[in-house]
Amino acid sequence: MQKKKIITCITILIFVFVVSFTGLAKAEDYKVGTIWPMTGTAAAFGEAITNACTLVQDYVNEAGGIHGNELKIINRDTGSEPTKGVDAARKLINVNKVPAIVGCYSSGVAMGVSQGVTIPNEAVFVTLGTSPMISVVKDNDYFFRASAHDLYNGRVLGEAMYNDGHKEIGIVYVNNAYGKGIADAAAVTFSKIHDGKVVAKVPFEIGKSSYSSEIRRTYQNGDIDATLIIAYPEDATVMHKEIYANGWDDIPWYGSPDQKVPELIDSLGAEYMEGIVLGSTQGRWPGASKDSFMEGYNKKYGEYPPKPYMAPGFDGLVSVVLAIARSGKAPGEVTGQDVRDNIRAVTSEPGEKIYATVEGFKKAFALLEEGKEINYIGASGNVEYDKYGDAMSAIQTWTIEDGEIITIENIIPDPVPRDLMPPEYQAE
Amino acid sequence: MLGSIVNGIILGSIITLGGLGISYILLIQNYFNFTGGTFFTLGAYLAFAFLSIIPMGSFPVVSFGPGLILALILSMIVLAIIMTAVDKFLYQPLRKRNSPFMFFYLTAFGMLFVLRSLIYLIWGPQLKNYISGVRKTYHLAGGINISPDEIFVVLATLIIVGIVYYFQYYTKLGKAMLATANDSRLAEISGIKNKHVHTTVTIIAGVLTATAGVFYGLAIQLRPIMGFTLLMAMFFAVVCGGDGAILGTLGAGLIIGITQEFGSEILQVIFDSTGIPIEMSGYKQVLAFLLLIVILTTKPHGIFQGTFLER
Amino acid sequence: MNKGEKILEVKDVTAGYGPVDVLFDASIEVNKGEFVVVIGPNGAGKTTLMRTIDGVLKPKKGKVMFNGENITGMDPSDILTKGISYVPQEGNIFTDMSVMDNLEMGAYTYEGDIQERLDMIFDLFPILKERLKQTSGNLSGGQRQMLAISRGIMIDPSLLILDEPTSGLQPNLVTDVLDSIVRLQEEEDMTILLVAQTEQAIPAADRGYLLRSGEIIFEAPTDTLLDNDQVMNLYFGG
C-alpha cells in the first residue's frame, strides 16, 4: 500500500516537473526565454517587466504570429541572485530549448548567466545591465545589451557639468562596476574630452552608517564648483546629511540613475532636493514604439510602465523576435546563431522603419517574407546594436522641482569613446 | 578629524545596544543569536509602522516628537513578544532535548532569512526615514558636526546602559539571571525558575534590540539590511567586551565604532600623504576585524578582562 | 507539628537516568527534628535518591510525601517553597558570584528578614563574614562547603538535604562541618537528611540507612548501625 502511494507521488511529481519545464508550449510555437527577478530585492521590477514582455507577445500574436506561428514567451525567476539566474537560464536552454534569452536587471547576474550558460551554449542573451564590462566579455557576439550603459550616462553627466560652466568637480561613487563605470566615463568626458579638472574621485562602499571621510575628500573643504554623486538612494541620504552638516549643500550636485526615486525626496525633503541640478537615467525614445509601449501597457495593466529600464527590456525582446522572423526558419529549428546573425540587420539601416505595434509587426513580418530589410526603432532608442553588442539607447535627464521629479529631455548621446577610457574598458 | 570620532561614538552607541541584546541571549542561552541583527531591523521597522498611525508631535531641540518615543515603546513590546514566541516555539524545544549547539545556530540562521524576507515583503527594499528632511546640526570646534538627534542617541544609550547595569548587578532579578547563567541547576534548586529567567532575558534582549534599531533609524535611516551590516560589529562588541560584560560591551562598542570611523580616516590621510593608492572606505570593517583578531589573540577574555558575571 | 512526627516519607521509589534504573523500590522515612544519614558505597544510588526527593529527577515509580503532601514530580523550585532545601555534592555554589550574592540567591524565595538569617549564618560560620565580597570560586574547600550549606539554609528550611558535605575535606574540617550541622539540628530545629560514602557522619546522626546497589538493605539507629556486619564489611573491609 505504502509503496504504491510513493510510486503515485513520484509519478505525479515527474509529470508536474516535465509539464512545468516544457511550459506546455505547442510544437509549432516560436519560443523565447526571459529571466527576470520575480522574487528578491528587485521583484517589483520583475513583475512590471514581465507584463511588458507579455505585451510584446500579445502584439506579435495579434499580428498573426511570426510567419503564422505563435510566439510563446517562457519566463523564469532569477531571484535577484547570480546562482538562481544561472539555473533559470540553464533550464530555458536545456529543457525549453530556446534560442535566445532576454533578461536580467543587474550586471552581476547578467555576467554570471552569459559566461556560465548562454555563451557556451551559443544562445543569444540580451540583457539590461549598465556595466561597461558587459561590452568586453569574450562572447563570440552572443551577448547583447538593450539598455544605455555607463559610457552613455557618464557622457551625459560630464557634458552637463561642463556646459553648466563648472571648472573643478568632485566625484563620489559606489565602488562597484556600475558606479566606477559612470565615474570613469564622466571623468573622461569632463577632463579629456573637455578641459575641466576632476579634483577628487572617491569610491565608497555601500551600507555604511557614515560617509564623513569620503564626503570631506570629495568636497575638498568646499573648494569645488560641483559634485557628481553616484550612489543608491540609501547611501546618498547618509551622504547628504554629511554634506549639509558641513554646510556644503549650496554646492550644486549631479546624480546617477538610481536617485530618480521619490524615496530620496521623502527622506531629504523637497526643499533640499532643489539643490540637484540634473541626473541621468535610461531614457525613452519618442515615437510610435514608445506610444505603443506606454499606452498598450496602460490599457492592459491600468498604469503606465513604472520603471525606466522596462523600455529597453521591451525593445530587447522585440529585436529578438524580429531576428527570428528574419532567419526564416521554422519553430524548433531557430538556433542562437540565427538570432545573432539577424539581430543587427533588423534594428539598423538599411530598411523600412518598423515600430512595435500590431500593424508594425504585421508589416515587418510581411516585408521579411518578401526578403526586404527592416529597421526597428524602439521605445528606448534607435536600438542599433554596435560591434560590442550594445544598443543605441536614449538617456533621459531629469531634475527635481517642488518635490517632483521632472524630465528635462531624452537624448541619444555619443558614448564616451573607448580609447579614451582606462585600459580595462578596451576590448581585447 | 575629531568629527569622525564623534561619528564613531554615535555608531558605537548603537552597536553597544544591539550587542547587549545579543549578549543577554548568549549569557543565559549560550549561543550567538545570529538573528539579533534582523530583530534589530525588525524593531526599527515596527516603530516605523507605528509611526504611520501615531502622530509624531514635537519636542524642543530634537527633530522628533513624543510619537517616536511611543512608537519605540510599542516596538519594544511587540519585538519582545515576537522574540519570546520565537524562543518558546523554536529554542525551548531544542533546549528541552539538549540539542547540540549547531542546531541553535542553524535555527538562528534560518530565522534570519525568514525575518528578512518578511521585512522585504511588508516594507519593500526602499529606504525609509522616521523624519524626512535634513536635520539641524551643531558645528563645534575641531570640525565636529553633530545633530541634536545624535546627541540624544548617545545620551540615551549611556542612560540605558546605566539602567541595565543597575538592574543586572543590584537587583534580585538581575542577580537571579546571573545565577542561572552560572549554574542553572543550582539556580533551579534555589527557587529561581529557569523558564522565568529565559523569558526575562528574552524580553530584555527585545527591549535593547528594538531600541538599537530605532536609534539607528533615527540617526541614520531604515533599510532592510541595516541590522545585518552591523551584525559583525555587534559580535565584536560582545566578544571583546568579555563574553558580554555590560560595561565591557559599551567599551568595545565604542572602540569598534571609533576604529571604523576615526581609524579609517587616519589611515586614509596617511595613505594619501604617502601616495599609496588605497581607498579605506571599503576596509572600515576589515580594520575592525583586524582589531578583533589582535584583541582575541592578546587578550582572549576581552579587552576589559571581566566577564558578564564578574562585571 | 510535633517533634518525632513523620516529615518525609519516600515510598517504593524507582528512578534512574534514561533507560537505566539506579534506584529500586527504595523507601526511607525521616521524622521531624531527626538527623538521618544514608550511607552506601560509590554508585549505590545515594545522589539519585536525593535528587528524586528534591524533584531534580522524576521517579518512574513510587511517591514522595512531605508533611503529608504528595510532592512526587514537582519542580525543585516548588519543592523548595514547601520547605525542603537541597545542597548537592557538586555545583553547590555559584562559583562566579560573590559570597554575599550566593547567600542572597539562597534566600531568593525567602520572605522573612534576610538579615536575621545572615546573622545566624555568620554565627555558625564566622569565616564567611570576612569573605562576603570574595568571588566564591576562589574559596578554599572547607569554606566552599560552609557556603554551600549556608546557601541551603538561607530560606530556613524544615528539611535540609546534604549530599556528601564532608567529602574531600581535611579531618579537622570534617569535624567542624559536622558540628555545625548538629548545631543546625539542635539550635535551629532543622531536620537533616545527609548522604555519605564514608562512615564519618554516622556518629553525629540519630539514625541511618544503608543503601547498596540501589536498594535500602538496612535501617537502624546509628549506634547499632556501626555494629552491623554489612556496614563493617563495607567500611572496614572485614
Side-chain angles (χ1 to χ4, degrees), chain C residues 188-234:
Chain C
E188 300 292 322
D189 290 334
M190 247 174 241
T191 311
I192 312 283
L193 175 59
L194 185 151
V195 296
Q197 198 178 324
T198 60
E199 82 297 347
Q200 289 161 331
I202 297 175
D206 301 325
R207 199 157 57 83
Y209 289 88
L210 177 63
L211 185 67
R212 200 167 187 182
S213 305
E215 290 176 57
I216 297 284
I217 54 172
F218 191 78
E219 187 254 315
T222 43
D223 38 356
T224 52
L225 191 66
L226 273 170
D227 295 337
N228 182 271
D229 282 351
Q230 296 191 55
V231 178
M232 293 303 282
N233 224 345
L234 188 62

Coordinates of all heavy atoms in Angstrom, one line a residue, chain C residues 188-234:
Chain C
E188 N 18.5 25.2 65.5 CA 17.5 25.8 64.5 C 16.4 24.9 64.2 O 15.6 25.1 63.3 CB 18.3 26.1 63.2 CG 19.4 27.1 63.3 CD 18.9 28.5 63.7 OE1 17.9 28.9 63.1 OE2 19.6 29.2 64.5
D189 N 16.3 23.8 65.0 CA 15.2 22.8 64.8 C 15.1 22.3 63.3 O 14.0 22.1 62.8 CB 13.8 23.4 65.2 CG 13.8 23.6 66.7 OD1 14.5 22.8 67.4 OD2 13.0 24.5 67.1
M190 N 16.2 22.1 62.7 CA 16.2 21.7 61.3 C 16.2 20.1 61.3 O 17.0 19.5 62.1 CB 17.3 22.2 60.5 CG 16.9 23.2 59.5 SD 18.4 23.9 58.8 CE 18.2 25.6 59.2
T191 N 15.5 19.5 60.4 CA 15.6 18.1 60.2 C 16.7 17.9 59.1 O 16.7 18.7 58.1 CB 14.3 17.5 59.7 OG1 13.2 18.0 60.5 CG2 14.3 16.0 59.6
I192 N 17.6 16.9 59.4 CA 18.7 16.8 58.5 C 18.7 15.4 57.8 O 18.5 14.4 58.5 CB 20.1 16.9 59.2 CG1 20.1 18.1 60.2 CG2 21.2 16.9 58.2 CD1 20.3 19.4 59.5
L193 N 18.8 15.4 56.5 CA 19.0 14.2 55.8 C 20.3 14.3 55.0 O 20.5 15.2 54.2 CB 17.8 13.9 54.8 CG 18.0 12.7 53.9 CD1 18.1 11.4 54.7 CD2 16.8 12.6 52.9
L194 N 21.3 13.4 55.4 CA 22.6 13.5 54.9 C 23.0 12.2 54.2 O 22.7 11.1 54.7 CB 23.6 13.8 56.0 CG 25.0 14.1 55.8 CD1 25.5 15.1 56.8 CD2 25.9 12.9 55.7
V195 N 23.6 12.3 53.0 CA 24.1 11.1 52.4 C 25.6 11.1 52.4 O 26.2 12.2 52.2 CB 23.5 10.8 51.0 CG1 22.1 10.6 51.0 CG2 24.0 11.9 50.0
A196 N 26.2 10.0 52.6 CA 27.7 10.0 52.6 C 28.2 8.6 52.2 O 27.5 7.6 52.4 CB 28.2 10.3 54.0
Q197 N 29.4 8.6 51.6 CA 30.0 7.4 51.3 C 30.8 6.8 52.4 O 30.9 5.6 52.6 CB 30.9 7.7 50.1 CG 31.3 6.4 49.3 CD 32.2 6.8 48.1 OE1 31.9 7.9 47.5 NE2 33.1 6.1 47.8
T198 N 31.3 7.8 53.2 CA 32.2 7.4 54.4 C 31.3 7.3 55.6 O 30.2 7.8 55.7 CB 33.3 8.4 54.6 OG1 32.7 9.6 54.8 CG2 34.2 8.5 53.3
E199 N 31.9 6.7 56.7 CA 31.2 6.5 57.9 C 31.4 7.7 58.9 O 30.7 7.7 59.9 CB 31.7 5.2 58.6 CG 33.0 5.3 59.4 CD 34.2 5.7 58.5 OE1 34.2 5.6 57.3 OE2 35.3 6.1 59.1
Q200 N 32.2 8.7 58.4 CA 32.5 9.8 59.3 C 31.2 10.4 60.0 O 31.2 10.8 61.2 CB 33.2 10.9 58.5 CG 34.6 10.6 58.1 CD 35.0 11.5 57.0 OE1 34.2 11.9 56.2 NE2 36.3 11.7 56.9
A201 N 30.2 10.5 59.2 CA 29.0 11.3 59.7 C 28.1 10.5 60.6 O 27.3 11.0 61.3 CB 28.1 11.8 58.5
I202 N 28.3 9.1 60.6 CA 27.4 8.3 61.4 C 27.3 8.7 62.8 O 26.2 8.8 63.3 CB 27.8 6.8 61.2 CG1 27.6 6.4 59.7 CG2 26.9 5.9 62.1 CD1 28.1 5.0 59.4
P203 N 28.4 8.9 63.6 CA 28.2 9.2 65.0 C 27.4 10.4 65.3 O 26.7 10.5 66.3 CB 29.7 9.4 65.4 CG 30.5 8.7 64.4 CD 29.8 8.8 63.1
A204 N 27.4 11.4 64.3 CA 26.7 12.6 64.6 C 25.2 12.5 64.4 O 24.4 13.2 65.0 CB 27.2 13.7 63.7
A205 N 24.8 11.4 63.7 CA 23.4 11.3 63.3 C 22.6 10.5 64.3 O 23.2 9.8 65.2 CB 23.3 10.6 61.9
D206 N 21.3 10.5 64.2 CA 20.4 9.7 65.1 C 20.2 8.3 64.5 O 20.0 7.4 65.3 CB 19.1 10.4 65.2 CG 19.3 11.8 65.8 OD1 20.2 12.1 66.6 OD2 18.5 12.7 65.4
R207 N 20.1 8.3 63.2 CA 19.6 7.0 62.6 C 20.2 6.9 61.2 O 20.5 8.0 60.6 CB 18.0 7.1 62.5 CG 17.3 5.8 62.4 CD 15.8 6.0 62.8 NE 15.1 7.0 62.1 CZ 14.6 6.9 60.9 NH1 14.6 5.7 60.3 NH2 14.0 7.9 60.3
G208 N 20.3 5.7 60.7 CA 20.9 5.6 59.4 C 20.3 4.5 58.6 O 19.7 3.6 59.0
Y209 N 20.5 4.7 57.2 CA 20.1 3.6 56.3 C 21.3 3.2 55.5 O 22.2 4.0 55.3 CB 19.1 4.2 55.3 CG 17.7 4.5 55.8 CD1 17.4 5.7 56.4 CD2 16.7 3.5 55.7 CE1 16.2 6.0 56.8 CE2 15.4 3.8 56.2 CZ 15.2 5.0 56.8 OH 13.9 5.3 57.2
L210 N 21.3 2.0 55.2 CA 22.4 1.5 54.3 C 21.8 1.3 52.9 O 20.9 0.5 52.8 CB 23.0 0.2 54.9 CG 24.2 -0.4 54.0 CD1 25.4 0.6 53.9 CD2 24.6 -1.7 54.6
L211 N 22.4 1.9 51.9 CA 21.9 1.8 50.6 C 23.0 1.1 49.8 O 24.2 1.4 49.8 CB 21.7 3.2 50.0 CG 21.0 3.3 48.6 CD1 19.6 2.8 48.6 CD2 21.1 4.7 48.1
R212 N 22.6 0.1 49.0 CA 23.6 -0.7 48.2 C 22.9 -1.2 46.9 O 21.8 -1.7 46.9 CB 24.0 -1.9 49.1 CG 25.3 -2.5 48.6 CD 25.8 -3.4 49.7 NE 27.1 -3.9 49.4 CZ 27.8 -4.7 50.1 NH1 27.2 -5.2 51.2 NH2 29.0 -5.1 49.8
S213 N 23.6 -0.9 45.9 CA 23.1 -1.3 44.5 C 21.7 -0.9 44.3 O 20.8 -1.6 43.8 CB 23.2 -2.8 44.3 OG 24.5 -3.2 44.6
G214 N 21.3 0.3 44.8 CA 20.0 0.9 44.5 C 18.9 0.3 45.5 O 17.8 0.7 45.3
E215 N 19.3 -0.4 46.5 CA 18.3 -0.9 47.4 C 18.6 -0.6 48.8 O 19.8 -0.6 49.2 CB 18.1 -2.4 47.2 CG 17.5 -2.8 45.9 CD 17.4 -4.3 45.7 OE1 16.8 -5.0 46.6 OE2 18.0 -4.8 44.8
I216 N 17.6 -0.2 49.6 CA 17.8 0.0 51.0 C 17.9 -1.4 51.7 O 17.0 -2.2 51.6 CB 16.7 0.8 51.7 CG1 16.6 2.2 51.0 CG2 16.8 0.9 53.2 CD1 17.6 3.2 51.5
I217 N 19.0 -1.7 52.2 CA 19.2 -3.1 52.8 C 19.2 -3.1 54.3 O 19.1 -4.2 54.9 CB 20.4 -3.8 52.2 CG1 21.7 -3.0 52.4 CG2 20.2 -4.1 50.7 CD1 22.9 -3.7 52.1
F218 N 19.2 -2.0 54.9 CA 19.3 -2.0 56.4 C 18.9 -0.6 56.9 O 19.2 0.4 56.3 CB 20.8 -2.3 56.7 CG 21.0 -2.6 58.2 CD1 20.7 -3.9 58.7 CD2 21.5 -1.7 59.0 CE1 20.9 -4.1 60.0 CE2 21.7 -1.9 60.3 CZ 21.4 -3.2 60.8
E219 N 18.3 -0.6 58.1 CA 17.9 0.6 58.7 C 18.1 0.4 60.2 O 17.7 -0.6 60.8 CB 16.5 1.0 58.4 CG 16.0 2.3 58.9 CD 15.1 2.2 60.1 OE1 14.2 1.4 60.1 OE2 15.4 3.0 61.0
A220 N 18.8 1.4 60.9 CA 19.0 1.2 62.3 C 19.4 2.5 63.0 O 19.9 3.4 62.3 CB 20.1 0.2 62.5
P221 N 19.2 2.6 64.3 CA 19.8 3.8 65.0 C 21.3 3.7 64.8 O 21.9 2.7 64.6 CB 19.4 3.5 66.5 CG 18.3 2.5 66.4 CD 18.5 1.7 65.2
T222 N 22.0 4.9 64.8 CA 23.4 4.9 64.4 C 24.3 4.1 65.3 O 25.2 3.5 64.8 CB 23.9 6.4 64.5 OG1 23.5 7.0 65.6 CG2 23.5 7.1 63.2
D223 N 24.0 4.0 66.6 CA 24.9 3.2 67.5 C 24.9 1.7 67.0 O 25.9 1.1 67.0 CB 24.6 3.3 69.0 CG 23.1 3.4 69.2 OD1 22.3 3.4 68.2 OD2 22.7 3.4 70.4
T224 N 23.7 1.2 66.7 CA 23.7 -0.2 66.2 C 24.2 -0.3 64.8 O 24.7 -1.3 64.3 CB 22.3 -0.8 66.3 OG1 21.4 0.1 65.7 CG2 21.9 -1.0 67.8
L225 N 24.0 0.8 64.0 CA 24.4 0.8 62.6 C 25.9 0.4 62.5 O 26.3 -0.3 61.6 CB 24.1 2.1 62.0 CG 24.2 2.2 60.5 CD1 23.1 1.4 59.8 CD2 24.1 3.6 60.0
L226 N 26.6 1.1 63.4 CA 28.1 0.9 63.3 C 28.5 -0.6 63.7 O 29.6 -1.0 63.3 CB 28.8 1.9 64.2 CG 29.1 3.2 63.5 CD1 29.6 4.2 64.5 CD2 30.1 3.1 62.4
D227 N 27.6 -1.2 64.4 CA 27.9 -2.6 64.8 C 27.5 -3.6 63.7 O 27.9 -4.7 63.8 CB 27.2 -2.9 66.1 CG 27.6 -2.1 67.3 OD1 28.8 -1.6 67.1 OD2 26.9 -1.9 68.2
N228 N 26.8 -3.1 62.8 CA 26.2 -4.1 61.8 C 27.3 -4.7 60.9 O 28.3 -4.0 60.5 CB 25.2 -3.3 60.9 CG 24.6 -4.2 59.9 OD1 25.2 -4.4 58.8 ND2 23.5 -4.9 60.2
D229 N 27.2 -5.9 60.6 CA 28.2 -6.7 59.9 C 28.4 -6.1 58.5 O 29.5 -5.9 58.0 CB 27.7 -8.1 59.7 CG 28.0 -8.9 61.0 OD1 28.7 -8.3 61.9 OD2 27.6 -10.0 61.1
Q230 N 27.2 -5.8 57.8 CA 27.3 -5.3 56.4 C 28.0 -4.0 56.4 O 28.8 -3.7 55.5 CB 25.9 -5.2 55.8 CG 25.3 -6.6 55.7 CD 24.0 -6.5 54.9 OE1 24.1 -6.1 53.7 NE2 22.9 -6.9 55.4
V231 N 27.7 -3.1 57.4 CA 28.4 -1.8 57.4 C 29.9 -2.0 57.7 O 30.7 -1.4 57.0 CB 27.7 -0.9 58.5 CG1 28.5 0.4 58.5 CG2 26.3 -0.7 58.2
M232 N 30.2 -2.8 58.6 CA 31.6 -3.1 58.9 C 32.3 -3.6 57.7 O 33.4 -3.2 57.3 CB 31.7 -4.2 60.0 CG 31.2 -3.7 61.4 SD 32.0 -2.2 62.0 CE 33.5 -3.0 62.5
N233 N 31.6 -4.5 57.0 CA 32.1 -5.1 55.8 C 32.4 -4.0 54.8 O 33.5 -4.0 54.2 CB 31.0 -6.0 55.2 CG 31.6 -7.3 54.8 OD1 32.8 -7.4 54.6 ND2 30.7 -8.3 54.5
L234 N 31.5 -3.1 54.7 CA 31.6 -2.1 53.7 C 32.8 -1.1 53.9 O 33.5 -0.8 53.1 CB 30.3 -1.3 53.6 CG 30.1 -0.2 52.5 CD1 30.2 -0.9 51.2 CD2 28.8 0.4 52.7

